[in-house]
PDB file of all heavy atoms in Angstrom:
ATOM      1  N   GLU A 263      -7.983 -22.204  36.068  1.00  0.00           N
ATOM      2  CA  GLU A 263      -7.491 -22.936  34.987  1.00  0.00           C
ATOM      3  C   GLU A 263      -6.163 -23.740  35.358  1.00  0.00           C
ATOM      4  O   GLU A 263      -5.281 -23.000  35.643  1.00  0.00           O
ATOM      5  CB  GLU A 263      -7.391 -22.217  33.738  1.00  0.00           C
ATOM      6  CG  GLU A 263      -7.229 -23.006  32.509  1.00  0.00           C
ATOM      7  CD  GLU A 263      -7.240 -22.191  31.249  1.00  0.00           C
ATOM      8  OE1 GLU A 263      -7.745 -21.084  31.317  1.00  0.00           O
ATOM      9  OE2 GLU A 263      -7.043 -22.688  30.155  1.00  0.00           O
ATOM     10  N   ASN A 264      -6.071 -24.911  35.139  1.00  0.00           N
ATOM     11  CA  ASN A 264      -4.880 -25.851  35.389  1.00  0.00           C
ATOM     12  C   ASN A 264      -4.309 -25.715  36.792  1.00  0.00           C
ATOM     13  O   ASN A 264      -3.144 -25.969  36.970  1.00  0.00           O
ATOM     14  CB  ASN A 264      -3.742 -25.398  34.344  1.00  0.00           C
ATOM     15  CG  ASN A 264      -4.266 -25.714  32.951  1.00  0.00           C
ATOM     16  OD1 ASN A 264      -5.023 -26.693  32.696  1.00  0.00           O
ATOM     17  ND2 ASN A 264      -3.695 -24.953  32.029  1.00  0.00           N
ATOM     18  N   LEU A 265      -5.149 -25.442  37.915  1.00  0.00           N
ATOM     19  CA  LEU A 265      -4.704 -25.413  39.150  1.00  0.00           C
ATOM     20  C   LEU A 265      -5.042 -26.727  39.750  1.00  0.00           C
ATOM     21  O   LEU A 265      -6.059 -27.284  39.416  1.00  0.00           O
ATOM     22  CB  LEU A 265      -5.335 -24.295  39.884  1.00  0.00           C
ATOM     23  CG  LEU A 265      -4.814 -22.843  39.576  1.00  0.00           C
ATOM     24  CD1 LEU A 265      -5.456 -21.909  40.409  1.00  0.00           C
ATOM     25  CD2 LEU A 265      -3.297 -22.728  39.742  1.00  0.00           C
ATOM     26  N   ILE A 266      -4.268 -27.197  40.717  1.00  0.00           N
ATOM     27  CA  ILE A 266      -4.506 -28.547  41.413  1.00  0.00           C
ATOM     28  C   ILE A 266      -5.569 -28.357  42.393  1.00  0.00           C
ATOM     29  O   ILE A 266      -5.462 -27.276  43.226  1.00  0.00           O
ATOM     30  CB  ILE A 266      -3.253 -29.157  41.936  1.00  0.00           C
ATOM     31  CG1 ILE A 266      -2.359 -29.433  40.780  1.00  0.00           C
ATOM     32  CG2 ILE A 266      -3.538 -30.380  42.774  1.00  0.00           C
ATOM     33  CD1 ILE A 266      -0.914 -29.974  41.206  1.00  0.00           C
ATOM     34  N   PHE A 267      -6.653 -29.083  42.445  1.00  0.00           N
ATOM     35  CA  PHE A 267      -7.842 -28.946  43.229  1.00  0.00           C
ATOM     36  C   PHE A 267      -7.599 -28.764  44.803  1.00  0.00           C
ATOM     37  O   PHE A 267      -8.009 -27.776  45.383  1.00  0.00           O
ATOM     38  CB  PHE A 267      -8.871 -30.001  42.906  1.00  0.00           C
ATOM     39  CG  PHE A 267     -10.104 -29.917  43.578  1.00  0.00           C
ATOM     40  CD1 PHE A 267     -10.880 -28.834  43.507  1.00  0.00           C
ATOM     41  CD2 PHE A 267     -10.530 -31.053  44.418  1.00  0.00           C
ATOM     42  CE1 PHE A 267     -11.987 -28.772  44.156  1.00  0.00           C
ATOM     43  CE2 PHE A 267     -11.697 -30.912  45.090  1.00  0.00           C
ATOM     44  CZ  PHE A 267     -12.505 -29.838  44.969  1.00  0.00           C
ATOM     45  N   TRP A 268      -6.870 -29.767  45.406  1.00  0.00           N
ATOM     46  CA  TRP A 268      -6.658 -29.827  46.729  1.00  0.00           C
ATOM     47  C   TRP A 268      -5.729 -28.667  47.184  1.00  0.00           C
ATOM     48  O   TRP A 268      -5.917 -28.123  48.254  1.00  0.00           O
ATOM     49  CB  TRP A 268      -6.186 -31.169  47.221  1.00  0.00           C
ATOM     50  CG  TRP A 268      -7.230 -32.239  46.828  1.00  0.00           C
ATOM     51  CD1 TRP A 268      -7.012 -33.237  45.952  1.00  0.00           C
ATOM     52  CD2 TRP A 268      -8.601 -32.310  47.257  1.00  0.00           C
ATOM     53  NE1 TRP A 268      -8.231 -33.975  45.794  1.00  0.00           N
ATOM     54  CE2 TRP A 268      -9.129 -33.423  46.739  1.00  0.00           C
ATOM     55  CE3 TRP A 268      -9.306 -31.548  48.198  1.00  0.00           C
ATOM     56  CZ2 TRP A 268     -10.543 -33.866  46.999  1.00  0.00           C
ATOM     57  CZ3 TRP A 268     -10.671 -31.899  48.507  1.00  0.00           C
ATOM     58  CH2 TRP A 268     -11.208 -33.038  47.787  1.00  0.00           C
ATOM     59  N   ARG A 269      -4.699 -28.342  46.441  1.00  0.00           N
ATOM     60  CA  ARG A 269      -3.817 -27.267  46.780  1.00  0.00           C
ATOM     61  C   ARG A 269      -4.545 -25.943  46.833  1.00  0.00           C
ATOM     62  O   ARG A 269      -4.359 -25.063  47.773  1.00  0.00           O
ATOM     63  CB  ARG A 269      -2.622 -27.254  46.027  1.00  0.00           C
ATOM     64  CG  ARG A 269      -1.654 -28.409  46.129  1.00  0.00           C
ATOM     65  CD  ARG A 269      -0.521 -28.322  45.309  1.00  0.00           C
ATOM     66  NE  ARG A 269       0.344 -29.465  45.397  1.00  0.00           N
ATOM     67  CZ  ARG A 269       1.373 -29.738  44.711  1.00  0.00           C
ATOM     68  NH1 ARG A 269       1.811 -28.929  43.751  1.00  0.00           N
ATOM     69  NH2 ARG A 269       2.087 -30.912  44.849  1.00  0.00           N
ATOM     70  N   LEU A 270      -5.334 -25.682  45.798  1.00  0.00           N
ATOM     71  CA  LEU A 270      -6.151 -24.527  45.660  1.00  0.00           C
ATOM     72  C   LEU A 270      -7.080 -24.381  46.856  1.00  0.00           C
ATOM     73  O   LEU A 270      -7.259 -23.370  47.427  1.00  0.00           O
ATOM     74  CB  LEU A 270      -6.883 -24.520  44.403  1.00  0.00           C
ATOM     75  CG  LEU A 270      -7.928 -23.396  44.184  1.00  0.00           C
ATOM     76  CD1 LEU A 270      -7.252 -22.055  44.051  1.00  0.00           C
ATOM     77  CD2 LEU A 270      -8.817 -23.633  43.044  1.00  0.00           C
ATOM     78  N   SER A 271      -7.747 -25.421  47.139  1.00  0.00           N
ATOM     79  CA  SER A 271      -8.781 -25.524  48.267  1.00  0.00           C
ATOM     80  C   SER A 271      -8.182 -25.132  49.634  1.00  0.00           C
ATOM     81  O   SER A 271      -8.773 -24.401  50.383  1.00  0.00           O
ATOM     82  CB  SER A 271      -9.446 -26.836  48.336  1.00  0.00           C
ATOM     83  OG  SER A 271     -10.099 -27.217  47.110  1.00  0.00           O
ATOM     84  N   THR A 272      -6.999 -25.698  49.855  1.00  0.00           N
ATOM     85  CA  THR A 272      -6.402 -25.337  51.293  1.00  0.00           C
ATOM     86  C   THR A 272      -5.846 -23.879  51.224  1.00  0.00           C
ATOM     87  O   THR A 272      -6.134 -23.292  52.366  1.00  0.00           O
ATOM     88  CB  THR A 272      -5.149 -26.310  51.414  1.00  0.00           C
ATOM     89  OG1 THR A 272      -4.301 -26.135  50.315  1.00  0.00           O
ATOM     90  CG2 THR A 272      -5.581 -27.697  51.630  1.00  0.00           C
ATOM     91  N   LYS A 273      -5.396 -23.343  50.181  1.00  0.00           N
ATOM     92  CA  LYS A 273      -5.108 -22.010  50.239  1.00  0.00           C
ATOM     93  C   LYS A 273      -6.246 -20.965  50.301  1.00  0.00           C
ATOM     94  O   LYS A 273      -6.149 -20.023  50.993  1.00  0.00           O
ATOM     95  CB  LYS A 273      -4.252 -21.642  48.864  1.00  0.00           C
ATOM     96  CG  LYS A 273      -2.830 -22.245  48.890  1.00  0.00           C
ATOM     97  CD  LYS A 273      -2.124 -21.786  47.694  1.00  0.00           C
ATOM     98  CE  LYS A 273      -0.613 -22.426  47.875  1.00  0.00           C
ATOM     99  NZ  LYS A 273       0.221 -22.032  46.771  1.00  0.00           N
ATOM    100  N   VAL A 274      -7.273 -21.349  49.585  1.00  0.00           N
ATOM    101  CA  VAL A 274      -8.473 -20.552  49.675  1.00  0.00           C
ATOM    102  C   VAL A 274      -9.103 -20.542  51.103  1.00  0.00           C
ATOM    103  O   VAL A 274      -9.600 -19.583  51.637  1.00  0.00           O
ATOM    104  CB  VAL A 274      -9.515 -20.933  48.653  1.00  0.00           C
ATOM    105  CG1 VAL A 274     -10.858 -20.333  48.818  1.00  0.00           C
ATOM    106  CG2 VAL A 274      -9.010 -20.726  47.274  1.00  0.00           C
ATOM    107  N   ALA A 275      -9.130 -21.803  51.675  1.00  0.00           N
ATOM    108  CA  ALA A 275      -9.686 -21.923  53.059  1.00  0.00           C
ATOM    109  C   ALA A 275      -8.848 -21.138  54.016  1.00  0.00           C
ATOM    110  O   ALA A 275      -9.432 -20.410  54.942  1.00  0.00           O
ATOM    111  CB  ALA A 275      -9.751 -23.296  53.537  1.00  0.00           C
ATOM    112  N   LYS A 276      -7.588 -21.074  53.999  1.00  0.00           N
ATOM    113  CA  LYS A 276      -6.667 -20.304  54.937  1.00  0.00           C
ATOM    114  C   LYS A 276      -6.929 -18.850  54.706  1.00  0.00           C
ATOM    115  O   LYS A 276      -7.063 -18.051  55.666  1.00  0.00           O
ATOM    116  CB  LYS A 276      -5.230 -20.702  54.648  1.00  0.00           C
ATOM    117  CG  LYS A 276      -4.816 -21.967  55.206  1.00  0.00           C
ATOM    118  CD  LYS A 276      -3.419 -22.216  54.883  1.00  0.00           C
ATOM    119  CE  LYS A 276      -3.019 -23.669  55.413  1.00  0.00           C
ATOM    120  NZ  LYS A 276      -1.490 -24.006  55.018  1.00  0.00           N
ATOM    121  N   GLN A 277      -6.964 -18.381  53.346  1.00  0.00           N
ATOM    122  CA  GLN A 277      -7.226 -16.974  53.161  1.00  0.00           C
ATOM    123  C   GLN A 277      -8.521 -16.520  53.684  1.00  0.00           C
ATOM    124  O   GLN A 277      -8.725 -15.330  54.133  1.00  0.00           O
ATOM    125  CB  GLN A 277      -6.977 -16.670  51.724  1.00  0.00           C
ATOM    126  CG  GLN A 277      -5.569 -16.808  51.235  1.00  0.00           C
ATOM    127  CD  GLN A 277      -4.679 -15.792  51.907  1.00  0.00           C
ATOM    128  OE1 GLN A 277      -4.972 -14.627  52.034  1.00  0.00           O
ATOM    129  NE2 GLN A 277      -3.532 -16.182  52.267  1.00  0.00           N
ATOM    130  N   ALA A 278      -9.493 -17.370  53.500  1.00  0.00           N
ATOM    131  CA  ALA A 278     -10.945 -16.979  53.817  1.00  0.00           C
ATOM    132  C   ALA A 278     -10.882 -16.752  55.483  1.00  0.00           C
ATOM    133  O   ALA A 278     -11.682 -15.818  55.836  1.00  0.00           O
ATOM    134  CB  ALA A 278     -11.913 -17.901  53.414  1.00  0.00           C
ATOM    135  N   LEU A 279     -10.219 -17.772  56.106  1.00  0.00           N
ATOM    136  CA  LEU A 279     -10.229 -17.520  57.637  1.00  0.00           C
ATOM    137  C   LEU A 279      -9.498 -16.305  58.131  1.00  0.00           C
ATOM    138  O   LEU A 279      -9.772 -15.764  59.215  1.00  0.00           O
ATOM    139  CB  LEU A 279      -9.489 -18.812  58.182  1.00  0.00           C
ATOM    140  CG  LEU A 279     -10.432 -20.074  58.239  1.00  0.00           C
ATOM    141  CD1 LEU A 279      -9.635 -21.301  58.695  1.00  0.00           C
ATOM    142  CD2 LEU A 279     -11.610 -19.829  59.175  1.00  0.00           C
ATOM    143  N   LEU A 280      -8.583 -15.916  57.135  1.00  0.00           N
ATOM    144  CA  LEU A 280      -7.863 -14.550  57.570  1.00  0.00           C
ATOM    145  C   LEU A 280      -8.705 -13.320  57.355  1.00  0.00           C
ATOM    146  O   LEU A 280      -8.257 -12.344  57.627  1.00  0.00           O
ATOM    147  CB  LEU A 280      -6.524 -14.552  56.819  1.00  0.00           C
ATOM    148  CG  LEU A 280      -5.538 -15.573  57.248  1.00  0.00           C
ATOM    149  CD1 LEU A 280      -4.264 -15.382  56.342  1.00  0.00           C
ATOM    150  CD2 LEU A 280      -5.120 -15.401  58.641  1.00  0.00           C
ATOM    151  N   GLY A 281      -9.801 -13.515  56.471  1.00  0.00           N
ATOM    152  CA  GLY A 281     -10.661 -12.411  56.254  1.00  0.00           C
ATOM    153  C   GLY A 281     -10.737 -11.891  54.885  1.00  0.00           C
ATOM    154  O   GLY A 281     -11.324 -10.875  54.552  1.00  0.00           O
ATOM    155  N   ASP A 282     -10.018 -12.473  53.954  1.00  0.00           N
ATOM    156  CA  ASP A 282     -10.142 -12.076  52.492  1.00  0.00           C
ATOM    157  C   ASP A 282     -11.375 -12.603  51.851  1.00  0.00           C
ATOM    158  O   ASP A 282     -11.921 -13.692  51.997  1.00  0.00           O
ATOM    159  CB  ASP A 282      -8.922 -12.613  51.730  1.00  0.00           C
ATOM    160  CG  ASP A 282      -7.497 -12.101  52.224  1.00  0.00           C
ATOM    161  OD1 ASP A 282      -7.651 -10.941  52.957  1.00  0.00           O
ATOM    162  OD2 ASP A 282      -6.564 -12.654  51.914  1.00  0.00           O
ATOM    163  N   LYS A 283     -11.865 -11.800  50.897  1.00  0.00           N
ATOM    164  CA  LYS A 283     -12.975 -12.193  50.062  1.00  0.00           C
ATOM    165  C   LYS A 283     -12.409 -12.692  48.849  1.00  0.00           C
ATOM    166  O   LYS A 283     -11.429 -12.209  48.223  1.00  0.00           O
ATOM    167  CB  LYS A 283     -13.779 -11.036  49.621  1.00  0.00           C
ATOM    168  CG  LYS A 283     -15.017 -11.365  48.823  1.00  0.00           C
ATOM    169  CD  LYS A 283     -15.941 -10.192  48.582  1.00  0.00           C
ATOM    170  CE  LYS A 283     -17.181 -10.480  47.703  1.00  0.00           C
ATOM    171  NZ  LYS A 283     -17.096 -11.761  46.877  1.00  0.00           N
ATOM    172  N   ILE A 284     -12.864 -14.036  48.445  1.00  0.00           N
ATOM    173  CA  ILE A 284     -12.122 -14.772  47.401  1.00  0.00           C
ATOM    174  C   ILE A 284     -13.100 -15.158  46.286  1.00  0.00           C
ATOM    175  O   ILE A 284     -14.222 -15.675  46.765  1.00  0.00           O
ATOM    176  CB  ILE A 284     -11.438 -16.027  47.994  1.00  0.00           C
ATOM    177  CG1 ILE A 284     -10.452 -15.597  48.988  1.00  0.00           C
ATOM    178  CG2 ILE A 284     -10.913 -16.843  46.901  1.00  0.00           C
ATOM    179  CD1 ILE A 284      -9.942 -16.730  49.780  1.00  0.00           C
ATOM    180  N   ASP A 285     -12.805 -14.767  45.148  1.00  0.00           N
ATOM    181  CA  ASP A 285     -13.766 -15.206  43.888  1.00  0.00           C
ATOM    182  C   ASP A 285     -12.819 -16.253  43.108  1.00  0.00           C
ATOM    183  O   ASP A 285     -11.753 -15.874  42.662  1.00  0.00           O
ATOM    184  CB  ASP A 285     -14.079 -14.112  43.065  1.00  0.00           C
ATOM    185  CG  ASP A 285     -15.007 -13.199  43.865  1.00  0.00           C
ATOM    186  OD1 ASP A 285     -15.820 -13.620  44.639  1.00  0.00           O
ATOM    187  OD2 ASP A 285     -14.956 -11.882  43.560  1.00  0.00           O
ATOM    188  N   ILE A 286     -13.426 -17.367  42.825  1.00  0.00           N
ATOM    189  CA  ILE A 286     -12.751 -18.363  42.060  1.00  0.00           C
ATOM    190  C   ILE A 286     -13.446 -18.499  40.706  1.00  0.00           C
ATOM    191  O   ILE A 286     -14.739 -18.823  40.745  1.00  0.00           O
ATOM    192  CB  ILE A 286     -12.615 -19.827  42.658  1.00  0.00           C
ATOM    193  CG1 ILE A 286     -12.034 -19.606  44.100  1.00  0.00           C
ATOM    194  CG2 ILE A 286     -11.829 -20.706  41.877  1.00  0.00           C
ATOM    195  CD1 ILE A 286     -12.133 -20.897  44.955  1.00  0.00           C
ATOM    196  N   VAL A 287     -12.848 -18.273  39.571  1.00  0.00           N
ATOM    197  CA  VAL A 287     -13.481 -18.270  38.274  1.00  0.00           C
ATOM    198  C   VAL A 287     -12.958 -19.501  37.493  1.00  0.00           C
ATOM    199  O   VAL A 287     -11.739 -19.979  37.732  1.00  0.00           O
ATOM    200  CB  VAL A 287     -13.276 -17.094  37.399  1.00  0.00           C
ATOM    201  CG1 VAL A 287     -14.019 -15.907  38.197  1.00  0.00           C
ATOM    202  CG2 VAL A 287     -11.823 -16.608  37.317  1.00  0.00           C
ATOM    203  N   ASN A 288     -13.716 -19.961  36.670  1.00  0.00           N
ATOM    204  CA  ASN A 288     -13.299 -21.149  35.634  1.00  0.00           C
ATOM    205  C   ASN A 288     -13.064 -22.472  36.516  1.00  0.00           C
ATOM    206  O   ASN A 288     -12.137 -23.193  36.510  1.00  0.00           O
ATOM    207  CB  ASN A 288     -12.027 -20.925  34.815  1.00  0.00           C
ATOM    208  CG  ASN A 288     -12.336 -19.900  33.649  1.00  0.00           C
ATOM    209  OD1 ASN A 288     -13.435 -19.908  33.281  1.00  0.00           O
ATOM    210  ND2 ASN A 288     -11.249 -19.267  33.242  1.00  0.00           N
ATOM    211  N   VAL A 289     -14.032 -22.708  37.482  1.00  0.00           N
ATOM    212  CA  VAL A 289     -13.782 -23.949  38.315  1.00  0.00           C
ATOM    213  C   VAL A 289     -13.928 -25.191  37.584  1.00  0.00           C
ATOM    214  O   VAL A 289     -13.450 -26.162  38.158  1.00  0.00           O
ATOM    215  CB  VAL A 289     -14.885 -23.868  39.539  1.00  0.00           C
ATOM    216  CG1 VAL A 289     -14.484 -22.767  40.433  1.00  0.00           C
ATOM    217  CG2 VAL A 289     -16.199 -23.789  39.024  1.00  0.00           C
ATOM    218  N   GLU A 290     -14.595 -25.047  36.397  1.00  0.00           N
ATOM    219  CA  GLU A 290     -14.740 -26.379  35.634  1.00  0.00           C
ATOM    220  C   GLU A 290     -13.419 -26.791  35.048  1.00  0.00           C
ATOM    221  O   GLU A 290     -13.224 -27.893  34.589  1.00  0.00           O
ATOM    222  CB  GLU A 290     -15.747 -26.170  34.572  1.00  0.00           C
ATOM    223  CG  GLU A 290     -15.373 -25.354  33.366  1.00  0.00           C
ATOM    224  CD  GLU A 290     -15.525 -23.951  33.602  1.00  0.00           C
ATOM    225  OE1 GLU A 290     -15.973 -23.396  34.607  1.00  0.00           O
ATOM    226  OE2 GLU A 290     -15.337 -23.239  32.637  1.00  0.00           O
ATOM    227  N   LYS A 291     -12.351 -25.866  35.098  1.00  0.00           N
ATOM    228  CA  LYS A 291     -11.035 -26.173  34.437  1.00  0.00           C
ATOM    229  C   LYS A 291     -10.033 -26.507  35.471  1.00  0.00           C
ATOM    230  O   LYS A 291      -8.820 -26.820  35.267  1.00  0.00           O
ATOM    231  CB  LYS A 291     -10.583 -25.112  33.498  1.00  0.00           C
ATOM    232  CG  LYS A 291     -11.452 -24.855  32.386  1.00  0.00           C
ATOM    233  CD  LYS A 291     -11.008 -23.730  31.549  1.00  0.00           C
ATOM    234  CE  LYS A 291     -11.924 -23.354  30.416  1.00  0.00           C
ATOM    235  NZ  LYS A 291     -11.496 -22.261  29.667  1.00  0.00           N
ATOM    236  N   ILE A 292     -10.452 -26.712  36.761  1.00  0.00           N
ATOM    237  CA  ILE A 292      -9.540 -27.087  37.848  1.00  0.00           C
ATOM    238  C   ILE A 292      -9.289 -28.623  37.721  1.00  0.00           C
ATOM    239  O   ILE A 292      -9.993 -29.448  37.404  1.00  0.00           O
ATOM    240  CB  ILE A 292     -10.138 -26.897  39.191  1.00  0.00           C
ATOM    241  CG1 ILE A 292     -10.317 -25.322  39.448  1.00  0.00           C
ATOM    242  CG2 ILE A 292      -9.395 -27.465  40.377  1.00  0.00           C
ATOM    243  CD1 ILE A 292     -10.999 -24.938  40.663  1.00  0.00           C
ATOM    244  N   VAL A 293      -7.955 -29.022  38.041  1.00  0.00           N
ATOM    245  CA  VAL A 293      -7.513 -30.356  37.711  1.00  0.00           C
ATOM    246  C   VAL A 293      -7.540 -31.100  39.015  1.00  0.00           C
ATOM    247  O   VAL A 293      -7.051 -30.703  40.127  1.00  0.00           O
ATOM    248  CB  VAL A 293      -6.063 -30.283  37.310  1.00  0.00           C
ATOM    249  CG1 VAL A 293      -5.558 -31.754  37.050  1.00  0.00           C
ATOM    250  CG2 VAL A 293      -5.990 -29.514  36.007  1.00  0.00           C
ATOM    251  N   ILE A 294      -8.161 -32.297  38.982  1.00  0.00           N
ATOM    252  CA  ILE A 294      -8.155 -33.229  40.088  1.00  0.00           C
ATOM    253  C   ILE A 294      -7.063 -34.256  39.930  1.00  0.00           C
ATOM    254  O   ILE A 294      -7.191 -34.909  38.765  1.00  0.00           O
ATOM    255  CB  ILE A 294      -9.456 -33.872  40.313  1.00  0.00           C
ATOM    256  CG1 ILE A 294     -10.521 -32.843  40.654  1.00  0.00           C
ATOM    257  CG2 ILE A 294      -9.485 -34.897  41.506  1.00  0.00           C
ATOM    258  CD1 ILE A 294     -11.960 -33.385  40.766  1.00  0.00           C
ATOM    259  N   VAL A 295      -6.160 -34.412  40.827  1.00  0.00           N
ATOM    260  CA  VAL A 295      -4.979 -35.300  40.479  1.00  0.00           C
ATOM    261  C   VAL A 295      -5.323 -36.669  41.134  1.00  0.00           C
ATOM    262  O   VAL A 295      -6.119 -36.698  42.054  1.00  0.00           O
ATOM    263  CB  VAL A 295      -3.577 -34.710  41.113  1.00  0.00           C
ATOM    264  CG1 VAL A 295      -3.267 -33.529  40.323  1.00  0.00           C
ATOM    265  CG2 VAL A 295      -3.749 -34.424  42.470  1.00  0.00           C
ATOM    266  N   GLY A 296      -4.702 -37.637  40.613  1.00  0.00           N
ATOM    267  CA  GLY A 296      -4.837 -38.964  41.118  1.00  0.00           C
ATOM    268  C   GLY A 296      -5.214 -39.935  39.980  1.00  0.00           C
ATOM    269  O   GLY A 296      -5.574 -39.527  38.893  1.00  0.00           O
ATOM    270  N   ARG A 297      -5.272 -41.277  40.272  1.00  0.00           N
ATOM    271  CA  ARG A 297      -5.644 -42.201  39.267  1.00  0.00           C
ATOM    272  C   ARG A 297      -7.118 -42.112  38.970  1.00  0.00           C
ATOM    273  O   ARG A 297      -7.951 -41.899  39.964  1.00  0.00           O
ATOM    274  CB  ARG A 297      -5.259 -43.529  39.599  1.00  0.00           C
ATOM    275  CG  ARG A 297      -3.765 -43.784  39.669  1.00  0.00           C
ATOM    276  CD  ARG A 297      -3.417 -45.297  39.755  1.00  0.00           C
ATOM    277  NE  ARG A 297      -4.437 -46.157  40.034  1.00  0.00           N
ATOM    278  CZ  ARG A 297      -4.280 -46.970  41.094  1.00  0.00           C
ATOM    279  NH1 ARG A 297      -3.296 -46.946  41.933  1.00  0.00           N
ATOM    280  NH2 ARG A 297      -5.223 -47.972  41.393  1.00  0.00           N
ATOM    281  N   LYS A 298      -7.470 -42.029  37.705  1.00  0.00           N
ATOM    282  CA  LYS A 298      -8.837 -41.786  37.268  1.00  0.00           C
ATOM    283  C   LYS A 298      -9.826 -42.872  37.888  1.00  0.00           C
ATOM    284  O   LYS A 298     -10.927 -42.501  38.405  1.00  0.00           O
ATOM    285  CB  LYS A 298      -8.968 -41.766  35.794  1.00  0.00           C
ATOM    286  CG  LYS A 298     -10.271 -41.465  35.324  1.00  0.00           C
ATOM    287  CD  LYS A 298     -10.185 -41.341  33.677  1.00  0.00           C
ATOM    288  CE  LYS A 298     -11.564 -41.003  33.219  1.00  0.00           C
ATOM    289  NZ  LYS A 298     -11.637 -40.842  31.696  1.00  0.00           N
TER     290      LYS A 298
END
């Protein structure tokens, strides 16, 4: 909720490559920034 989409994605990708199991909940509330 209220996290910026691309910043979240890069952090998740890095953590997954390091071996962490990641669960993301409420993905429908993630914010995509930029002009609509």
Side-chain angles (χ1 to χ4, degrees):
E263 190 170 356
N264 295 328
L265 293 179
I266 297 173
F267 180 57
W268 299 113
R269 289 183 187 175
L270 170 72
S271 300
T272 55
K273 287 185 180 183
V274 167
K276 286 179 185 177
Q277 288 299 316
L279 284 172
L280 293 175
D282 293 343
K283 183 177 179 334
I284 301 166
D285 295 324
I286 306 170
V287 295
N288 287 335
V289 293
E290 74 275 5
K291 295 180 182 177
I292 292 175
V293 179
I294 298 176
V295 294
R297 290 198 343 241
K298 186 176 180 179

